[in-house]
């Protein structure tokens, strides 16, 4: 069954719920906190994206206050920070709130993004 709501992720579940899962579907991650004004503006957009792109993208949310390990690991300096993972790789990382149209463009690009098979080797593509 496709998820149509943001998936809440923790320090303990991030590897499985985001990195490993991104081999099945791309994952858009919102690093946020309760006290953050711009985060509250992004939250309803994330809800809409989860609903509109159910079965194509997983939308995940990380509460930075409750999950300091992830904040430290990804060097989160400002929230919201939006990241995207595909095929186990971080493919997008940018702090700040964007308009809904920009989020929709990002999600579409994430869905369409092709990760080269031998990208891990670092060899040039033919």
């Amino acid at each position: 069954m496709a998820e149509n709501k943001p998936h809440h992720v923790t320090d303990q579940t991030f590897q499985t719920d985001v990195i490993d899962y991104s081999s099945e579907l791309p994952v858009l991650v919102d690093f946020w906190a309760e006290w953050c004004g711009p985060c509250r503006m992004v939250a309803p957009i994330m809800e809409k994206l989860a609903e509109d792109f159910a079965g194509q993208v997983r939308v995940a949310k990380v509460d930075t206050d409750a999950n300091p390990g992830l904040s430290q690991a990804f060097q989160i300096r400002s929230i919201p920070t939006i990241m995207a993972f595909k095929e186990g790789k971080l493919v997008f990382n940018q702090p700040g709130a964007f308009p809904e149209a920009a989020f929709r463009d990002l999600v579409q690009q994430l869905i369409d993004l092709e990760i080269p098979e031998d990208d891990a080797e670092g060899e040039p593509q033919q």
Side-chain angles (χ1 to χ4, degrees):
M1 184 173 118
E3 297 175 15
N4 63 357
K5 298 228 175 284
H7 188 82
H8 292 272
V9 179
T10 66
D11 284 346
Q12 292 73 31
T13 64
F14 192 86
Q15 178 68 42
T16 304
D17 290 352
V18 173
I19 297 177
D20 296 347
Y21 191 89
S22 73
S23 293
E24 295 174 41
L25 284 181
V27 182
L28 184 69
V29 184
D30 173 19
F31 287 84
W32 66 284
E34 192 68 43
W35 50 264
C36 164
C39 298
R40 287 194 292 274
M41 293 181 345
V42 167
I45 296 171
M46 290 295 165
E47 296 274 342
K48 278 188 197 172
L49 294 174
E51 198 171 301
D52 294 350
F53 291 96
Q56 299 174 75
V57 169
R58 169 181 268 182
V59 175
K61 294 180 68 76
V62 176
D63 180 342
T64 56
D65 289 341
N67 299 283
L70 289 170
S71 300
Q72 186 175 5
F74 287 106
Q75 300 179 350
I76 304 295
R77 302 274 182 260
S78 153
I79 53 174
T81 288
I82 307 301
M83 293 186 184
F85 293 82
K86 189 164 188 176
E87 302 291 330
K89 295 178 174 64
L90 174 62
V91 296
F92 180 85
N93 179 3
Q94 185 172 324
F98 331 127
E100 183 175 341
F103 275 110
R104 289 185 176 282
D105 288 347
L106 172 61
V107 169
Q108 196 57 59
Q109 288 177 39
L110 184 58
I111 291 167
D112 296 341
L113 179 66
E114 297 283 332
I115 303 283
E117 291 275 336
D118 60 352
D119 190 40
E121 323 279 311
E123 295 177 17
Q125 298 297 306
Q126 297 293 325

